[in-house]
Each structure stands twice: as structure tokens, then as C-alpha cells.
Amino acid sequence: MLQTVWVSSPGSWALREPDCHRHGKQTSWKYGFVRTIIQHLCLRHDPKGPGKARMLKKIQICLCFFFVSGMLYEISLLSSCFFSYMPMSKHLLTPEQVLNLGKSIIFLETTERLEPTPLVSCSVESAARIYQDRPIILFMKGLTNDTALDLNSSYAAFSLLSSMKNVFIFPLQMETVFKETPLLQWYNQVVPEQEKNWVHVSSDASRLALIWKYGGIYMDTDVISIRPIPEESFLAAQKSRFSSNGIFGFPAHHKFLWDCMENFVLKYNGNIWGNQGPFLMTRMLKAICNLTDFKGTEDHSCQNISFLNPQRFYPIPYPAWGRYYEVWDKSPNFNHSYALHLWNFMNNNRKAVVAGSNTLAEKLYKAYCPTTYKNLIQNAELRHFTLSEDA
């Protein structure tokens, strides 16, 4: 189990070779040997006769084949070792180095809160399990340069998430995120202390910039992944003719996101909740597409953007958000869903998953984030019970 997580500013991070190849001389002597063999066998050719020349040629080809195969195998080991990188002192990766791999799943925490809640932990863990070949990144505003977090103290969620091979936890540095986008000028002019919806507005802006720059999928921290999303360019319909911005995905430098960032600045009004979020996505989609009502579980498509059916992420709509925390006679199977949005904004952390409650949310935790359920839910209940007994 990891003992300490180190996070740092992008400018102070450096790529280091993973321990599984750096310790000893395993990699260096292998690559040196390969280079020597190729240079002396594959590239030098001075036979003394035609027969020997043909034989030597065959030997050279065979040797080259085997050594190239060996190099490819070494490269595959390096690739498989990549996700052993963790955001700690021995394996320092910059956000850019991880994001540039492409196809990241990105989460944002724009409050100053340091300890992820069980729902945040569940969201990140479920994504890490569903997308095992992709980087899962949690950006946190509360983290600062060279912040050390003692995982043996109260930060149980950091220990849990950091132990997952493809999860990375980085500080959210907005000025860096907004560079080379239309949002930088807005960010330099806005006064956060005067913005009543700053936590939401800054999150709306950051997710646009990050996905535009690097591509991938953005998810809110109250979204539980249950199966992979097959689309690359998509928006999530919250209801017919209305788009969410809680889940979306695009390749890097997609024009739709650039247009969204320009409109974000042009029609900025931080006093209206959602004006820079779902309302922005909806008005920009309506500008290029003729939106119609959904029928059944069909998806819509326009301008090479998939507008995914509400069943994909919002089978329980926001007016009924409380049903996630109720006991069902028969739990839904969510066969048409890729992920589930638990509407924490509506909940405002009033209702939580309780071990043994048999609610729908508890069943989702058990199925899709079992480590969070065991470590943060069951253990918390056990500690509470023990303290009560002691009292």
C-alpha cells in the first residue's frame, strides 16, 4: 500500500523511467546488446564467398528478426508498465504527459476540498475499472504545489484511488488549463470572489478547455460508469432537445468545443446557473442541428456529433433523483445505459450510501466500485459501531 502521494505543479514535474525498468542494468545492457548485434551483423557484410554469403545473409536476417522481436517485446513491457506510474515522488508525470496519451477520462473538483467523498471515489473507481486501458485523471483545485498527503491519516480516499494503476491525481491550475484558448482573457478579468456560482462556472470552463486541448471524456464526480461509451464525439441528452454538460467526449481540437469556448466568453453571465454549462451546450448544438424528440432508446446524430439518448446516462431524471437512495422491489438493469448520473447537486450530500440499507445506490456501489464500498462505507460503519460500543 502506498504511504504518501505527492502532487506538484506542472512546471516542476519531470518524466522518469519506471522502477520496473530503471532498477539494475536490465534495460541498458539489453538495448546496448541489441544495438551492437544489429550494427555488427545486420549492417556489416563482408563474406568470403557466394555460398557463405547466402548462408550469412540468412543468419543475419534471422538474427535481425529475433532481435527486433525482442525490442518490440521490451517496448510492450514499457507500455504495460506505464500504468504502474502513480502520482508519487518516485514516478512523477506531468498532467500534460498523461493527457497527451489521449483518451483520458477527466474528473474535476473545483472546490477547495481535499478529501474525495465516497461518491467521488466511486465515480473515479468505476471509471478506472471500466476503462482499464485509459488514464483516469482527477484534477483537484484544493491541491497546491508540492502538496504532501499522508495517506495513513484521514485521507483514506487518496490511498484507495492512488492504489489503482491508471488513476492520476493532479492539482487543477486554471491559468495553465486556459492558455491558448478563448477562456484565458475571461479568466484574467473575472473576479471569483464576486461570482456566486464560481465553483460551477470554473468547472464548466475547465472541462471545455481540457477536452478541447487533449481530447477524451469528461465526467462529473457523481457519475458511476457501468459499461464503456462507444462514441468518440458525443453529447449527453438530459432530456429531449436539451443537452447536459456533465458527460461529453470529443477528440482534441474539435471545432464544436472551440465554438463553445468562444460563446462562453461572448455570452457570459455567471449569475444564471447553467448558462455556461448545459444551456451553453444546448444552444450551441441547436445552432448546428435540428433537434427532435427522442423515440424509444434511439440516439441522434448531427454534424458527426452523437447526441445520446437520455437513457444512456439519465434513466432516472433529476426530479426523481431521490430514487437512487430508496429500496426497490426489483432493481432496474440499466441495459441501455453507459453510466448513471446520481444528481449530487440536487442531493447536496444530504443522502449517502449506508451499508446494509439495500438501496439502489448501495447496490451500484457494490457492483461498480466495490473497493470504495468496502473501504469507505463498510469500514466507516464498522468504526462508528465500535466507537458507539466503546462509549
Side-chain angles (χ1 to χ4, degrees):
M1 182 60 70
L2 300 176
Q3 297 301 312
T4 304
V5 168
W6 287 89
V7 293
S8 180
S9 62
S12 64
W13 286 58
L15 177 61
R16 296 186 182 182
E17 201 173 29
D19 285 349
C20 55
H21 294 288
R22 185 156 51 89
H23 289 328
K25 297 183 179 179
Q26 295 179 9
T27 303
S28 60
W29 78 260
K30 287 178 183 177
Y31 286 140
F33 181 61
V34 168
R35 285 196 299 269
T36 301
I37 292 296
I38 291 177
Q39 289 172 356
H40 288 275
L41 285 180
C42 296
L43 302 181
R44 296 184 180 182
H45 180 53
D46 186 21
K48 294 182 179 180
K52 289 184 177 180
R54 285 193 296 272
M55 183 177 294
L56 183 58
K57 187 70 173 178
K58 291 179 180 179
I59 294 174
Q60 290 172 340
I61 291 173
C62 289
L63 287 173
C64 288
F65 172 78
F66 285 119
F67 285 121
V68 169
S69 298
M71 290 178 68
L72 292 175
Y73 176 70
E74 287 290 335
I75 292 172
S76 73
L77 288 180
L78 283 169
S79 176
S80 64
C81 185
F82 172 78
F83 280 134
S84 67
Y85 279 126
M86 304 303 298
M88 55 182 299
S89 57
K90 290 184 179 179
H91 305 106
L92 298 181
L93 280 168
T94 68
E96 289 79 6
Q97 286 164 338
V98 179
L99 288 163
N100 281 330
L101 294 171
K103 296 188 175 181
S104 297
I105 312 295
I106 295 175
F107 296 89
L108 295 174
E109 176 61 75
T110 52
T111 71
E112 297 295 328
R113 181 171 54 200
L114 280 175
E115 173 68 347
T117 66
L119 181 53
V120 173
S121 178
C122 184
S123 298
V124 176
E125 179 189 346
S126 65
R129 291 178 178 274
I130 296 298
Y131 304 94
Q132 296 186 22
D133 60 338
R134 301 173 70 162
I136 313 299
I137 305 175
L138 173 60
F139 284 101
M140 300 189 71
K141 181 67 170 61
L143 297 181
T144 57
N145 298 352
D146 304 317
T147 300
L149 299 172
D150 183 358
L151 298 180
N152 288 326
S153 64
S154 61
Y155 296 105
F158 271 102
S159 177
L160 186 159
L161 295 176
S162 297
S163 66
M164 299 175 189
K165 64 180 181 180
N166 58 334
V167 172
F168 300 83
I169 304 173
F170 292 130
L172 176 60
Q173 298 182 328
M174 293 184 189
E175 186 171 358
T176 300
V177 169
F178 296 143
K179 284 182 179 177
E180 301 176 356
T181 76
L183 297 168
L184 182 60
Q185 182 179 0
W186 160 80
Y187 179 72
N188 288 333
Q189 294 175 349
V190 73
V191 181
E193 294 77 15
Q194 298 178 2
E195 298 286 330
K196 69 175 185 178
N197 294 310
W198 178 246
V199 168
H200 302 288
V201 169
S202 59
S203 178
D204 292 335
S206 297
R207 67 188 71 175
L208 288 173
L210 283 166
I211 299 300
W212 179 82
K213 279 187 172 183
Y214 303 104
I217 295 174
Y218 168 81
M219 292 185 183
D220 277 350
T221 53
D222 56 352
V223 172
I224 298 178
S225 297
I226 61 177
R227 56 178 56 89
I229 301 170
E231 307 290 341
E232 184 178 18
S233 301
F234 72 90
L235 294 172
Q238 186 172 313
K239 59 183 180 180
S240 286
R241 309 188 193 202
F242 188 81
S243 176
S244 161
N245 76 328
I247 312 165
F248 62 91
F250 287 92
H253 300 140
H254 197 284
K255 183 179 184 301
F256 179 80
L257 293 183
W258 182 267
D259 292 342
C260 284
M261 289 189 291
E262 288 189 328
N263 190 271
F264 183 106
V265 178
L266 181 65
K267 295 190 176 181
Y268 180 74
N269 188 338
N271 293 322
I272 302 176
W273 187 92
N275 185 62
Q276 319 308 131
F279 292 107
L280 167 66
M281 290 292 203
T282 301
R283 64 178 176 260
M284 296 306 295
L285 188 61
K286 285 182 176 180
I288 60 173
C289 300
N290 180 24
L291 301 184
T292 58
D293 291 339
F294 287 96
K295 297 178 181 179
T297 58
E298 66 177 3
D299 296 320
H300 293 172
S301 180
C302 173
Q303 301 286 332
N304 294 321
I305 299 174
S306 296
F307 191 38
L308 300 184
N309 192 287
Q311 288 296 314
R312 305 296 179 223
F313 307 104
Y314 303 101
I316 297 179
Y318 77 89
W321 67 269
R323 299 213 64 192
Y324 279 114
Y325 299 92
E326 294 176 358
V327 177
W328 292 52
D329 293 334
K330 182 180 179 181
S331 296
N333 54 37
F334 299 117
N335 287 339
H336 300 294
S337 301
Y338 302 134
L340 304 172
H341 195 288
L342 267 62
W343 304 107
N344 195 51
F345 176 74
M346 303 293 293
N347 182 8
N348 197 25
N349 293 313
R350 290 192 300 271
K351 294 185 178 181
V353 172
V354 178
S357 62
N358 202 35
T359 61
L360 177 58
E362 184 191 15
K363 292 180 178 180
L364 293 174
Y365 274 53
K366 287 181 177 180
Y368 301 109
C369 55
T371 307
T372 294
Y373 179 77
K374 180 179 179 181
N375 289 9
L376 301 185
I377 305 299
Q378 284 186 328
N379 288 348
E381 293 290 314
L382 181 61
R383 286 192 299 270
H384 179 73
F385 177 78
T386 302
L387 290 173
S388 298
E389 287 292 301
D390 293 340

